[in-house]
Amino acid sequence: MKLKLTSLLLLTALTGFLPGCKDGFEDINTNPNAPVDVQPSLLFRKVTFDYGEQMSYEAFVAGNLLGQYFTAIDFNLFDRHSLSEPQYGGNPWPFMYSNLRDNEIVLQKARANAAFGVYEGPALIMKAYIAAELTDLYGDVPYSEALQGKAGVVTPAYDSQESIYTAPGGILDNLDKGIASINNYKGITALDGDVIYGGNLSKWIKFANSLKIKSLMRISGKVNVQAALQKVVTEGNYIKTNADNAAYRFSLTQPNNFRMATARVGDFNLFIMSKTSEELLTGLSDPRIATYFRPTAAKPGTYKGLLNGPDASKLSISLADYSLTGTIFRENSDRLSANYMTAAETSFWLAEAAERKLVSVSTSAKALYEQGITQSFEYWGTALPATYLTSNKVAYGLNGQNPIEQILTQKWLTNINHGYEGWTEYRRTGFPRLKTISASLNNGLIPVRMPYPGTESALNSVQYKIAADKTQNNSINVPVWWAR
Protein backbone atom coordinates (compact mmCIF):
# COMPACT_ATOMS: atom_id res chain seq x y z
CA MET A 1 0.00 0.00 0.00
CA LYS A 2 2.87 2.36 0.94
CA LEU A 3 4.62 1.53 -2.37
CA LYS A 4 1.46 2.31 -4.36
CA LEU A 5 1.07 5.66 -2.57
CA THR A 6 4.69 6.61 -3.27
CA SER A 7 4.29 5.75 -6.93
CA LEU A 8 1.11 7.79 -7.17
CA LEU A 9 2.76 10.86 -5.60
CA LEU A 10 5.73 10.55 -7.96
CA LEU A 11 3.46 10.30 -11.00
CA THR A 12 1.50 13.34 -9.84
CA ALA A 13 4.68 15.35 -9.40
CA LEU A 14 5.98 14.39 -12.84
CA THR A 15 2.72 15.37 -14.45
CA GLY A 16 3.43 18.98 -13.64
CA PHE A 17 6.57 18.87 -15.78
CA LEU A 18 4.82 17.22 -18.77
CA PRO A 19 3.07 19.24 -21.49
CA GLY A 20 -0.72 19.07 -21.79
CA CYS A 21 -1.88 16.00 -23.64
CA LYS A 22 -2.94 18.14 -26.64
CA ASP A 23 0.12 20.39 -26.78
CA GLY A 24 2.05 19.60 -29.96
CA PHE A 25 -0.07 16.55 -30.76
CA GLU A 26 -0.77 17.60 -34.33
CA ASP A 27 2.86 18.54 -34.95
CA ILE A 28 4.09 15.19 -33.69
CA ASN A 29 1.56 13.25 -35.74
CA THR A 30 1.88 15.19 -39.00
CA ASN A 31 4.32 13.97 -41.62
CA PRO A 32 6.10 17.09 -42.92
CA ASN A 33 7.02 15.24 -46.12
CA ALA A 34 3.49 14.15 -47.01
CA PRO A 35 1.60 16.23 -49.60
CA VAL A 36 -1.40 18.19 -48.33
CA ASP A 37 -2.65 19.17 -51.77
CA VAL A 38 -2.27 18.03 -55.37
CA GLN A 39 -2.41 19.65 -58.77
CA PRO A 40 -5.53 18.75 -60.81
CA SER A 41 -3.30 17.47 -63.62
CA LEU A 42 -1.75 14.82 -61.39
CA LEU A 43 -5.06 13.77 -59.85
CA PHE A 44 -6.86 13.69 -63.21
CA ARG A 45 -4.07 11.51 -64.60
CA LYS A 46 -4.50 9.18 -61.65
CA VAL A 47 -8.27 8.90 -62.15
CA THR A 48 -8.21 8.31 -65.90
CA PHE A 49 -5.40 5.78 -65.76
CA ASP A 50 -6.26 4.01 -62.52
CA TYR A 51 -9.92 3.46 -63.34
CA GLY A 52 -9.12 2.05 -66.78
CA GLU A 53 -6.37 -0.20 -65.43
CA GLN A 54 -8.47 -1.48 -62.54
CA MET A 55 -11.51 -2.16 -64.70
CA SER A 56 -9.40 -3.90 -67.34
CA TYR A 57 -8.10 -6.24 -64.65
CA GLU A 58 -11.65 -6.76 -63.38
CA ALA A 59 -12.74 -7.51 -66.96
CA PHE A 60 -10.27 -10.34 -67.14
CA VAL A 61 -10.72 -11.97 -63.74
CA ALA A 62 -14.40 -11.31 -62.96
CA GLY A 63 -16.40 -9.46 -65.61
CA ASN A 64 -15.45 -11.98 -68.26
CA LEU A 65 -16.68 -14.80 -66.03
CA LEU A 66 -20.11 -13.24 -65.55
CA GLY A 67 -20.23 -12.36 -69.25
CA GLN A 68 -19.09 -15.93 -70.08
CA TYR A 69 -16.10 -14.96 -72.20
CA PHE A 70 -13.75 -16.96 -69.95
CA THR A 71 -14.09 -19.89 -67.58
CA ALA A 72 -12.09 -20.14 -64.34
CA ILE A 73 -10.82 -23.67 -63.74
CA ASP A 74 -9.93 -23.28 -60.06
CA PHE A 75 -10.42 -20.79 -57.22
CA ASN A 76 -13.66 -20.11 -59.03
CA LEU A 77 -16.44 -19.53 -56.53
CA PHE A 78 -17.21 -16.32 -58.42
CA ASP A 79 -17.50 -18.21 -61.71
CA ARG A 80 -19.93 -20.52 -59.93
CA HIS A 81 -21.97 -17.41 -59.06
CA SER A 82 -21.19 -17.09 -55.38
CA LEU A 83 -20.69 -13.37 -55.94
CA SER A 84 -20.36 -12.52 -52.26
CA GLU A 85 -17.09 -14.49 -52.24
CA PRO A 86 -14.86 -12.56 -54.68
CA GLN A 87 -11.48 -14.15 -55.22
CA TYR A 88 -9.14 -12.79 -57.90
CA GLY A 89 -11.60 -9.97 -58.55
CA GLY A 90 -15.28 -9.32 -58.28
CA ASN A 91 -15.42 -6.40 -55.84
CA PRO A 92 -15.13 -3.24 -57.95
CA TRP A 93 -16.98 -1.09 -55.38
CA PRO A 94 -13.82 0.24 -53.60
CA PHE A 95 -11.94 1.42 -56.67
CA MET A 96 -15.08 2.86 -58.24
CA TYR A 97 -15.73 5.03 -55.19
CA SER A 98 -12.08 5.96 -54.67
CA ASN A 99 -11.90 7.23 -58.24
CA LEU A 100 -15.24 9.02 -57.92
CA ARG A 101 -13.82 10.70 -54.80
CA ASP A 102 -10.60 11.80 -56.50
CA ASN A 103 -12.54 12.95 -59.56
CA GLU A 104 -14.78 15.02 -57.28
CA ILE A 105 -11.71 16.76 -55.88
CA VAL A 106 -10.67 17.66 -59.43
CA LEU A 107 -14.18 18.96 -60.10
CA GLN A 108 -14.20 21.09 -56.94
CA LYS A 109 -10.79 22.55 -57.76
CA ALA A 110 -11.96 23.39 -61.28
CA ARG A 111 -14.96 25.26 -59.91
CA ALA A 112 -13.06 27.04 -57.15
CA ASN A 113 -10.17 28.34 -59.25
CA ALA A 114 -10.61 29.77 -62.75
CA ALA A 115 -7.06 28.68 -63.57
CA PHE A 116 -8.24 25.07 -63.33
CA GLY A 117 -11.51 25.61 -65.20
CA VAL A 118 -10.42 23.42 -68.12
CA TYR A 119 -10.90 20.35 -65.90
CA GLU A 120 -14.58 20.91 -65.13
CA GLY A 121 -16.01 19.44 -68.34
CA PRO A 122 -13.87 16.29 -68.47
CA ALA A 123 -14.38 15.74 -64.71
CA LEU A 124 -18.16 15.93 -65.15
CA ILE A 125 -17.96 13.44 -68.01
CA MET A 126 -15.82 11.08 -65.93
CA LYS A 127 -18.25 11.40 -63.03
CA ALA A 128 -21.11 10.40 -65.33
CA TYR A 129 -19.12 7.51 -66.76
CA ILE A 130 -18.07 5.98 -63.44
CA ALA A 131 -21.48 6.55 -61.86
CA ALA A 132 -23.15 4.74 -64.77
CA GLU A 133 -20.89 1.70 -64.45
CA LEU A 134 -21.39 1.68 -60.68
CA THR A 135 -25.20 1.80 -60.74
CA ASP A 136 -25.39 -0.59 -63.69
CA LEU A 137 -23.61 -3.22 -61.59
CA TYR A 138 -25.29 -2.69 -58.23
CA GLY A 139 -28.57 -0.84 -58.83
CA ASP A 140 -29.34 1.72 -56.11
CA VAL A 141 -26.10 3.10 -54.63
CA PRO A 142 -24.96 6.06 -52.52
CA TYR A 143 -24.70 8.99 -54.90
CA SER A 144 -26.12 12.41 -54.01
CA GLU A 145 -24.88 12.15 -50.40
CA ALA A 146 -21.70 10.24 -51.26
CA LEU A 147 -18.19 11.74 -51.28
CA GLN A 148 -19.07 14.22 -48.53
CA GLY A 149 -17.04 12.81 -45.66
CA LYS A 150 -15.35 16.16 -44.96
CA ALA A 151 -18.80 17.69 -44.52
CA GLY A 152 -19.61 15.02 -41.95
CA VAL A 153 -21.76 12.77 -44.16
CA VAL A 154 -20.27 9.35 -43.44
CA THR A 155 -23.41 7.22 -43.81
CA PRO A 156 -24.83 8.33 -47.17
CA ALA A 157 -28.30 7.28 -48.31
CA TYR A 158 -28.74 5.13 -51.40
CA ASP A 159 -30.22 6.89 -54.45
CA SER A 160 -32.53 5.05 -56.81
CA GLN A 161 -30.99 4.01 -60.10
CA GLU A 162 -33.65 5.97 -61.95
CA SER A 163 -32.67 9.22 -60.20
CA ILE A 164 -28.95 8.54 -60.71
CA TYR A 165 -29.62 8.44 -64.43
CA THR A 166 -32.29 11.10 -64.83
CA ALA A 167 -32.31 13.59 -61.91
CA PRO A 168 -30.44 16.93 -61.84
CA GLY A 169 -26.81 16.17 -61.06
CA GLY A 170 -27.23 12.66 -62.44
CA ILE A 171 -25.58 10.89 -65.36
CA LEU A 172 -27.42 12.51 -68.27
CA ASP A 173 -27.38 15.96 -66.66
CA ASN A 174 -23.65 15.76 -65.96
CA LEU A 175 -22.94 14.77 -69.56
CA ASP A 176 -24.86 17.83 -70.78
CA LYS A 177 -23.11 20.06 -68.26
CA GLY A 178 -19.73 18.59 -69.16
CA ILE A 179 -20.24 19.33 -72.85
CA ALA A 180 -21.46 22.86 -72.04
CA SER A 181 -18.45 23.51 -69.80
CA ILE A 182 -16.02 22.51 -72.55
CA ASN A 183 -17.85 24.60 -75.14
CA ASN A 184 -17.88 27.62 -72.80
CA TYR A 185 -14.25 27.35 -71.73
CA LYS A 186 -12.29 30.35 -72.96
CA GLY A 187 -9.08 29.91 -70.98
CA ILE A 188 -5.64 29.05 -72.27
CA THR A 189 -4.71 26.37 -69.74
CA ALA A 190 -4.15 22.98 -71.34
CA LEU A 191 -5.82 19.82 -70.06
CA ASP A 192 -2.66 18.26 -68.65
CA GLY A 193 -2.77 14.74 -67.24
CA ASP A 194 -5.23 13.45 -69.84
CA VAL A 195 -4.11 9.91 -70.67
CA ILE A 196 -7.21 9.28 -72.81
CA TYR A 197 -7.10 12.11 -75.34
CA GLY A 198 -3.88 13.99 -74.62
CA GLY A 199 -5.79 17.16 -73.79
CA ASN A 200 -7.99 17.25 -76.92
CA LEU A 201 -11.21 18.79 -75.62
CA SER A 202 -13.16 18.28 -78.85
CA LYS A 203 -12.69 14.53 -78.48
CA TRP A 204 -14.00 14.70 -74.92
CA ILE A 205 -17.24 16.10 -76.37
CA LYS A 206 -17.44 13.17 -78.79
CA PHE A 207 -16.87 10.79 -75.88
CA ALA A 208 -19.65 12.47 -73.89
CA ASN A 209 -22.10 12.23 -76.78
CA SER A 210 -21.34 8.54 -77.29
CA LEU A 211 -21.96 8.06 -73.57
CA LYS A 212 -25.28 9.87 -73.96
CA ILE A 213 -26.28 7.45 -76.72
CA LYS A 214 -25.30 4.52 -74.52
CA SER A 215 -27.04 5.87 -71.40
CA LEU A 216 -30.24 6.75 -73.23
CA MET A 217 -30.39 3.34 -74.89
CA ARG A 218 -29.71 1.57 -71.61
CA ILE A 219 -32.76 3.13 -69.98
CA SER A 220 -34.91 3.11 -73.14
CA GLY A 221 -37.05 0.27 -71.82
CA LYS A 222 -38.20 2.50 -68.95
CA VAL A 223 -38.06 6.06 -70.30
CA ASN A 224 -39.10 7.66 -73.59
CA VAL A 225 -35.70 8.68 -74.92
CA GLN A 226 -36.52 9.26 -78.58
CA ALA A 227 -36.29 13.06 -78.63
CA ALA A 228 -33.05 13.20 -76.63
CA LEU A 229 -31.52 10.39 -78.66
CA GLN A 230 -32.52 11.94 -81.98
CA LYS A 231 -30.92 15.23 -80.97
CA VAL A 232 -27.54 13.57 -80.36
CA VAL A 233 -27.75 11.59 -83.59
CA THR A 234 -28.79 14.61 -85.66
CA GLU A 235 -25.93 16.72 -84.30
CA GLY A 236 -23.59 13.84 -85.20
CA ASN A 237 -20.74 14.80 -82.89
CA TYR A 238 -19.97 11.40 -81.36
CA ILE A 239 -17.22 8.78 -81.73
CA LYS A 240 -17.25 7.61 -85.35
CA THR A 241 -13.73 6.31 -85.94
CA ASN A 242 -11.20 4.34 -83.93
CA ALA A 243 -8.98 7.43 -83.93
CA ASP A 244 -11.50 9.01 -81.56
CA ASN A 245 -11.89 6.04 -79.19
CA ALA A 246 -11.89 6.82 -75.49
CA ALA A 247 -9.11 4.36 -74.65
CA TYR A 248 -5.42 4.18 -73.90
CA ARG A 249 -2.88 1.57 -74.93
CA PHE A 250 -1.01 -0.44 -72.32
CA SER A 251 2.76 -0.77 -72.42
CA LEU A 252 4.70 -4.01 -72.01
CA THR A 253 6.56 -2.74 -68.98
CA GLN A 254 5.54 -1.36 -65.62
CA PRO A 255 4.02 0.89 -64.44
CA ASN A 256 1.70 1.25 -67.44
CA ASN A 257 1.29 -2.43 -68.29
CA PHE A 258 -1.75 -4.67 -68.22
CA ARG A 259 -1.70 -6.33 -64.81
CA MET A 260 -2.33 -9.91 -65.94
CA ALA A 261 0.63 -9.69 -68.33
CA THR A 262 2.99 -9.85 -65.36
CA ALA A 263 0.92 -12.14 -63.13
CA ARG A 264 2.27 -15.54 -62.19
CA VAL A 265 1.76 -17.96 -65.06
CA GLY A 266 -0.26 -20.20 -62.74
CA ASP A 267 -2.67 -17.35 -62.07
CA PHE A 268 -2.90 -16.37 -65.73
CA ASN A 269 -3.61 -19.96 -66.77
CA LEU A 270 -6.60 -20.25 -64.46
CA PHE A 271 -8.64 -18.45 -67.13
CA ILE A 272 -9.50 -20.32 -70.33
CA MET A 273 -11.98 -20.06 -73.18
CA SER A 274 -15.61 -20.54 -72.17
CA LYS A 275 -18.00 -22.83 -74.00
CA THR A 276 -20.05 -19.74 -74.84
CA SER A 277 -17.08 -18.08 -76.56
CA GLU A 278 -16.20 -21.27 -78.39
CA GLU A 279 -19.68 -21.75 -79.81
CA LEU A 280 -20.17 -18.13 -80.83
CA LEU A 281 -16.76 -17.60 -82.38
CA THR A 282 -16.54 -20.95 -84.17
CA GLY A 283 -20.19 -20.77 -85.19
CA LEU A 284 -19.53 -17.45 -86.94
CA SER A 285 -16.16 -18.61 -88.33
CA ASP A 286 -14.83 -15.50 -86.66
CA PRO A 287 -11.05 -14.98 -87.01
CA ARG A 288 -10.97 -12.85 -83.84
CA ILE A 289 -10.86 -16.21 -82.07
CA ALA A 290 -7.10 -16.27 -82.74
CA THR A 291 -6.71 -12.83 -81.15
CA TYR A 292 -8.73 -13.61 -78.03
CA PHE A 293 -7.56 -17.19 -77.47
CA ARG A 294 -4.86 -19.75 -78.30
CA PRO A 295 -5.32 -23.10 -80.02
CA THR A 296 -5.24 -26.10 -77.70
CA ALA A 297 -1.88 -27.72 -77.08
CA ALA A 298 -3.40 -31.19 -77.48
CA LYS A 299 -4.84 -30.47 -80.93
CA PRO A 300 -2.98 -27.60 -82.60
CA GLY A 301 -5.18 -25.46 -84.79
CA THR A 302 -8.35 -26.22 -82.82
CA TYR A 303 -10.11 -24.17 -80.19
CA LYS A 304 -12.01 -25.61 -77.27
CA GLY A 305 -13.86 -24.01 -74.37
CA LEU A 306 -15.25 -25.27 -71.08
CA LEU A 307 -18.69 -24.63 -69.63
CA ASN A 308 -18.56 -21.91 -66.98
CA GLY A 309 -18.66 -22.73 -63.29
CA PRO A 310 -16.97 -26.12 -63.07
CA ASP A 311 -16.55 -27.73 -59.66
CA ALA A 312 -12.77 -28.14 -59.65
CA SER A 313 -12.95 -30.70 -56.83
CA LYS A 314 -14.90 -33.08 -59.06
CA LEU A 315 -13.13 -32.54 -62.38
CA SER A 316 -9.71 -33.38 -63.72
CA ILE A 317 -8.95 -30.56 -66.15
CA SER A 318 -5.91 -30.66 -68.39
CA LEU A 319 -4.87 -27.27 -69.74
CA ALA A 320 -3.65 -28.92 -72.92
CA ASP A 321 -7.24 -29.78 -73.83
CA TYR A 322 -8.51 -26.19 -73.70
CA SER A 323 -7.76 -22.83 -75.25
CA LEU A 324 -5.89 -20.40 -73.01
CA THR A 325 -6.49 -16.68 -73.32
CA GLY A 326 -4.64 -14.98 -76.16
CA THR A 327 -1.17 -13.51 -76.36
CA ILE A 328 -2.74 -10.03 -76.50
CA PHE A 329 -3.43 -10.43 -72.78
CA ARG A 330 0.12 -11.56 -71.97
CA GLU A 331 3.15 -11.60 -74.29
CA ASN A 332 1.76 -8.95 -76.67
CA SER A 333 -0.24 -6.92 -74.17
CA ASP A 334 1.08 -3.66 -75.62
CA ARG A 335 -1.57 -4.30 -78.31
CA LEU A 336 -4.26 -4.19 -75.61
CA SER A 337 -6.14 -1.04 -74.61
CA ALA A 338 -8.10 0.01 -71.56
CA ASN A 339 -11.50 0.93 -72.94
CA TYR A 340 -13.94 3.62 -71.97
CA MET A 341 -15.89 3.91 -75.24
CA THR A 342 -15.16 2.93 -78.84
CA ALA A 343 -16.45 3.63 -82.33
CA ALA A 344 -17.58 0.02 -82.72
CA GLU A 345 -19.64 0.10 -79.53
CA THR A 346 -21.21 3.41 -80.58
CA SER A 347 -22.13 1.97 -83.98
CA PHE A 348 -23.80 -1.04 -82.39
CA TRP A 349 -25.80 1.20 -80.04
CA LEU A 350 -26.99 3.22 -83.02
CA ALA A 351 -27.77 0.09 -85.02
CA GLU A 352 -30.00 -1.12 -82.20
CA ALA A 353 -31.65 2.29 -81.89
CA ALA A 354 -32.37 2.34 -85.61
CA GLU A 355 -33.66 -1.25 -85.64
CA ARG A 356 -36.00 -0.48 -82.73
CA LYS A 357 -37.20 2.67 -84.57
CA LEU A 358 -36.02 4.90 -81.72
CA VAL A 359 -34.14 7.21 -84.09
CA SER A 360 -34.17 8.22 -87.71
CA VAL A 361 -30.70 7.84 -89.21
CA SER A 362 -29.25 8.87 -92.55
CA THR A 363 -28.08 5.31 -93.12
CA SER A 364 -29.67 2.00 -92.10
CA ALA A 365 -29.49 -0.31 -89.09
CA LYS A 366 -27.81 -2.85 -91.36
CA ALA A 367 -25.13 -0.37 -92.44
CA LEU A 368 -24.46 0.64 -88.82
CA TYR A 369 -24.22 -3.03 -87.81
CA GLU A 370 -21.70 -3.73 -90.58
CA GLN A 371 -19.82 -0.54 -89.70
CA GLY A 372 -19.54 -1.70 -86.08
CA ILE A 373 -18.15 -5.08 -87.13
CA THR A 374 -15.61 -3.44 -89.45
CA GLN A 375 -14.50 -1.05 -86.70
CA SER A 376 -14.21 -3.93 -84.23
CA PHE A 377 -11.93 -5.95 -86.52
CA GLU A 378 -9.79 -2.87 -87.09
CA TYR A 379 -9.63 -2.17 -83.36
CA TRP A 380 -8.49 -5.70 -82.57
CA GLY A 381 -5.93 -5.72 -85.40
CA THR A 382 -7.64 -8.64 -87.13
CA ALA A 383 -8.14 -8.82 -90.89
CA LEU A 384 -11.82 -8.82 -91.87
CA PRO A 385 -12.49 -11.67 -94.33
CA ALA A 386 -14.12 -10.52 -97.55
CA THR A 387 -17.01 -12.93 -97.04
CA TYR A 388 -17.59 -12.38 -93.31
CA LEU A 389 -20.36 -9.75 -93.52
CA THR A 390 -22.31 -11.84 -96.06
CA SER A 391 -21.82 -15.22 -94.39
CA ASN A 392 -24.90 -17.18 -93.30
CA LYS A 393 -24.90 -16.29 -89.60
CA VAL A 394 -23.44 -12.79 -89.86
CA ALA A 395 -25.44 -11.32 -92.75
CA TYR A 396 -28.00 -8.93 -91.31
CA GLY A 397 -31.42 -10.51 -90.93
CA LEU A 398 -30.57 -13.37 -93.30
CA ASN A 399 -32.68 -16.53 -93.05
CA GLY A 400 -35.01 -15.00 -90.49
CA GLN A 401 -32.29 -14.24 -87.94
CA ASN A 402 -33.14 -11.71 -85.25
CA PRO A 403 -31.25 -8.49 -86.08
CA ILE A 404 -31.29 -7.35 -82.43
CA GLU A 405 -29.66 -10.60 -81.36
CA GLN A 406 -27.07 -10.22 -84.13
CA ILE A 407 -26.24 -6.67 -83.05
CA LEU A 408 -25.94 -7.63 -79.38
CA THR A 409 -23.83 -10.69 -80.19
CA GLN A 410 -21.38 -8.63 -82.21
CA LYS A 411 -21.22 -5.98 -79.50
CA TRP A 412 -20.53 -8.74 -76.96
CA LEU A 413 -17.70 -10.05 -79.15
CA THR A 414 -15.96 -6.68 -79.37
CA ASN A 415 -16.20 -5.90 -75.64
CA ILE A 416 -14.01 -8.68 -74.25
CA ASN A 417 -11.78 -6.06 -72.57
CA HIS A 418 -14.57 -3.74 -71.43
CA GLY A 419 -15.29 -4.65 -67.84
CA TYR A 420 -18.66 -6.16 -67.12
CA GLU A 421 -20.28 -4.80 -70.28
CA GLY A 422 -21.12 -8.16 -71.87
CA TRP A 423 -22.96 -9.33 -68.75
CA THR A 424 -24.68 -5.97 -68.36
CA GLU A 425 -26.05 -6.07 -71.89
CA TYR A 426 -27.23 -9.65 -71.38
CA ARG A 427 -29.16 -8.45 -68.34
CA ARG A 428 -30.74 -5.68 -70.39
CA THR A 429 -31.62 -7.69 -73.50
CA GLY A 430 -31.12 -11.41 -72.96
CA PHE A 431 -28.47 -11.49 -75.72
CA PRO A 432 -26.26 -13.19 -76.45
CA ARG A 433 -27.80 -16.31 -75.00
CA LEU A 434 -25.64 -17.19 -72.00
CA LYS A 435 -25.61 -20.72 -70.60
CA THR A 436 -26.69 -22.32 -67.35
CA ILE A 437 -23.36 -22.96 -65.68
CA SER A 438 -21.88 -26.31 -64.67
CA ALA A 439 -21.94 -26.32 -60.87
CA SER A 440 -23.99 -23.31 -59.86
CA LEU A 441 -23.96 -21.97 -56.32
CA ASN A 442 -26.98 -19.81 -57.22
CA ASN A 443 -29.61 -22.48 -57.93
CA GLY A 444 -28.85 -22.46 -61.64
CA LEU A 445 -29.77 -18.78 -62.04
CA ILE A 446 -27.57 -16.27 -63.87
CA PRO A 447 -27.10 -13.30 -61.48
CA VAL A 448 -28.69 -10.02 -62.52
CA ARG A 449 -26.88 -7.64 -60.16
CA MET A 450 -23.74 -7.47 -58.05
CA PRO A 451 -24.24 -7.74 -54.28
CA TYR A 452 -23.36 -4.81 -52.07
CA PRO A 453 -20.01 -5.53 -50.35
CA GLY A 454 -19.82 -6.53 -46.70
CA THR A 455 -18.18 -3.23 -45.80
CA GLU A 456 -21.50 -1.48 -46.44
CA SER A 457 -23.38 -3.58 -43.89
CA ALA A 458 -20.60 -2.91 -41.38
CA LEU A 459 -19.94 0.79 -41.98
CA ASN A 460 -23.24 2.11 -43.35
CA SER A 461 -25.63 -0.30 -41.68
CA VAL A 462 -28.81 1.78 -41.51
CA GLN A 463 -28.76 2.89 -45.13
CA TYR A 464 -27.50 -0.50 -46.26
CA LYS A 465 -30.48 -2.22 -44.63
CA ILE A 466 -32.90 0.03 -46.50
CA ALA A 467 -31.22 -0.83 -49.80
CA ALA A 468 -30.91 -4.53 -48.93
CA ASP A 469 -34.60 -4.72 -48.07
CA LYS A 470 -35.41 -3.46 -51.56
CA THR A 471 -33.35 -6.26 -53.09
CA GLN A 472 -34.63 -9.20 -51.04
CA ASN A 473 -31.76 -9.02 -48.56
CA ASN A 474 -29.13 -8.00 -51.11
CA SER A 475 -30.03 -10.81 -53.51
CA ILE A 476 -28.11 -11.12 -56.78
CA ASN A 477 -31.32 -12.32 -58.44
CA VAL A 478 -33.28 -9.05 -58.15
CA PRO A 479 -32.91 -7.07 -61.40
CA VAL A 480 -31.83 -3.46 -61.52
CA TRP A 481 -34.31 -0.77 -62.57
CA TRP A 482 -33.56 -0.66 -66.32
CA ALA A 483 -33.42 -4.46 -66.79
CA ARG A 484 -35.80 -6.26 -69.11
Side-chain angles (χ1 to χ4, degrees):
M1 181 68 182
K2 187 175 181 180
L3 178 61
K4 288 183 180 180
L5 180 60
T6 302
S7 299
L8 180 60
L9 291 171
L10 179 61
L11 180 60
T12 303
L14 287 172
T15 302
F17 295 98
L18 295 175
C21 63
K22 292 185 179 180
D23 292 348
F25 179 82
E26 290 184 359
D27 293 335
I28 294 171
N29 289 277
T30 298
N31 181 358
N33 299 315
V36 295
D37 200 1
V38 63
Q39 289 293 312
S41 59
L42 298 176
L43 201 53
F44 192 65
R45 183 191 307 274
K46 179 267 176 186
V47 171
T48 50
F49 176 80
D50 184 75
Y51 187 85
E53 190 279 331
Q54 297 248 36
M55 188 53 84
S56 295
Y57 172 78
E58 277 281 323
F60 193 96
V61 299
N64 285 353
L65 301 181
L66 283 174
Q68 295 190 10
Y69 295 93
F70 302 163
T71 300
I73 58 173
D74 205 353
F75 303 103
N76 65 336
L77 294 177
F78 193 87
D79 193 30
R80 295 176 62 191
H81 293 162
S82 179
L83 303 193
S84 60
E85 299 181 87
Q87 291 169 288
Y88 279 81
N91 182 25
W93 182 283
F95 78 78
M96 290 179 132
Y97 272 107
S98 67
N99 279 292
L100 274 172
R101 175 202 63 207
D102 290 346
N103 187 75
E104 192 69 18
I105 296 172
V106 175
L107 183 57
Q108 291 170 3
K109 285 180 175 293
R111 288 172 168 170
N113 187 339
F116 299 144
V118 68
Y119 289 93
E120 182 183 33
L124 282 165
I125 294 166
M126 284 300 299
K127 182 175 182 177
Y129 181 87
I130 300 173
E133 295 216 321
L134 176 68
T135 188
D136 285 348
L137 291 179
Y138 294 95
D140 298 354
V141 295
Y143 182 71
S144 61
E145 293 186 4
L147 314 176
Q148 298 183 44
K150 284 190 174 181
V153 182
V154 295
T155 56
Y158 285 58
D159 295 74
S160 71
Q161 185 174 60
E162 180 177 8
S163 68
I164 294 171
Y165 263 99
T166 64
I171 293 163
L172 292 168
D173 185 45
N174 280 337
L175 289 173
D176 285 336
K177 288 176 179 175
I179 292 170
S181 178
I182 293 174
N183 283 329
N184 294 333
Y185 179 68
K186 306 302 180 185
I188 59 173
T189 304
L191 184 68
D192 290 334
D194 174 14
V195 303
I196 299 176
Y197 285 128
N200 189 322
L201 291 173
S202 65
K203 290 191 176 185
W204 274 94
I205 292 177
K206 292 181 179 181
F207 176 26
N209 280 317
S210 281
L211 288 179
K212 283 179 70 175
I213 293 169
K214 175 179 179 177
S215 298
L216 290 166
M217 284 298 295
R218 184 145 284 164
I219 66 174
S220 61
K222 296 289 185 180
V223 178
N224 185 341
V225 301
Q226 287 182 270
L229 196 57
Q230 187 65 58
K231 184 176 184 294
V232 181
V233 173
T234 300
E235 291 173 352
N237 193 22
Y238 47 81
I239 298 173
K240 295 179 180 177
T241 70
N242 283 321
D244 293 334
N245 287 345
Y248 63 81
R249 186 69 63 89
F250 287 111
S251 64
L252 276 178
T253 58
Q254 294 179 336
N256 301 323
N257 62 302
F258 175 56
R259 199 183 314 178
M260 289 305 292
T262 54
R264 296 182 306 172
V265 67
D267 294 339
F268 183 84
N269 289 348
L270 290 174
F271 301 92
I272 64 174
M273 173 189 270
S274 71
K275 194 68 177 175
T276 305
S277 285
E278 177 200 341
E279 291 182 355
L280 287 174
L281 287 163
T282 59
L284 297 173
S285 299
D286 196 311
R288 284 173 292 185
I289 195 170
T291 301
Y292 300 161
F293 299 100
R294 310 175 198 228
T296 65
K299 295 182 179 179
T302 64
Y303 293 86
K304 185 178 180 181
L306 180 69
L307 185 64
N308 280 85
D311 183 347
S313 67
K314 297 180 180 179
L315 293 177
S316 178
I317 299 173
S318 171
L319 284 178
D321 294 332
Y322 296 97
S323 293
L324 298 173
T325 55
T327 60
I328 197 169
F329 297 108
R330 187 107 175 144
E331 298 90 340
N332 301 319
S333 60
D334 56 336
R335 291 179 51 212
L336 186 69
S337 292
N339 268 2
Y340 286 98
M341 193 77 191
T342 66
E345 188 179 357
T346 304
S347 293
F348 290 132
W349 281 113
L350 290 174
E352 181 187 349
E355 182 63 34
R356 294 189 188 276
K357 304 296 190 292
L358 294 175
V359 292
S360 174
V361 292
S362 58
T363 182
S364 64
K366 174 179 180 292
L368 288 163
Y369 163 79
E370 292 177 348
Q371 177 177 283
I373 294 173
T374 303
Q375 291 164 335
S376 175
F377 272 77
E378 179 187 25
Y379 172 88
W380 285 104
T382 306
L384 178 65
T387 59
Y388 185 82
L389 294 176
T390 56
S391 60
N392 285 338
K393 293 186 178 180
V394 177
Y396 196 73
L398 186 67
N399 299 324
Q401 292 187 91
N402 180 355
I404 296 295
E405 181 172 4
Q406 289 181 297
I407 293 167
L408 269 294
T409 297
Q410 286 292 337
K411 183 160 62 170
W412 182 89
L413 287 171
T414 201
N415 272 335
I416 196 169
N417 65 331
H418 194 184
Y420 294 82
E421 194 66 23
W423 174 59
T424 295
E425 281 296 88
Y426 166 79
R427 293 182 291 138
R428 182 179 70 91
T429 67
F431 300 124
R433 302 174 190 271
L434 302 185
K435 298 180 176 299
T436 301
I437 67 172
S438 177
S440 175
L441 294 173
N442 189 42
N443 298 316
L445 299 174
I446 295 176
V448 291
R449 62 177 289 271
M450 290 283 285
Y452 301 125
T455 51
E456 278 297 285
S457 62
L459 302 176
N460 192 12
S461 59
V462 173
Q463 301 298 340
Y464 163 82
K465 186 177 187 309
I466 295 171
D469 287 346
K470 293 179 180 179
T471 53
Q472 298 177 18
N473 196 27
N474 197 19
S475 170
I476 61 176
N477 300 315
V478 175
V480 299
W481 165 70
W482 48 248
R484 62 190 177 95

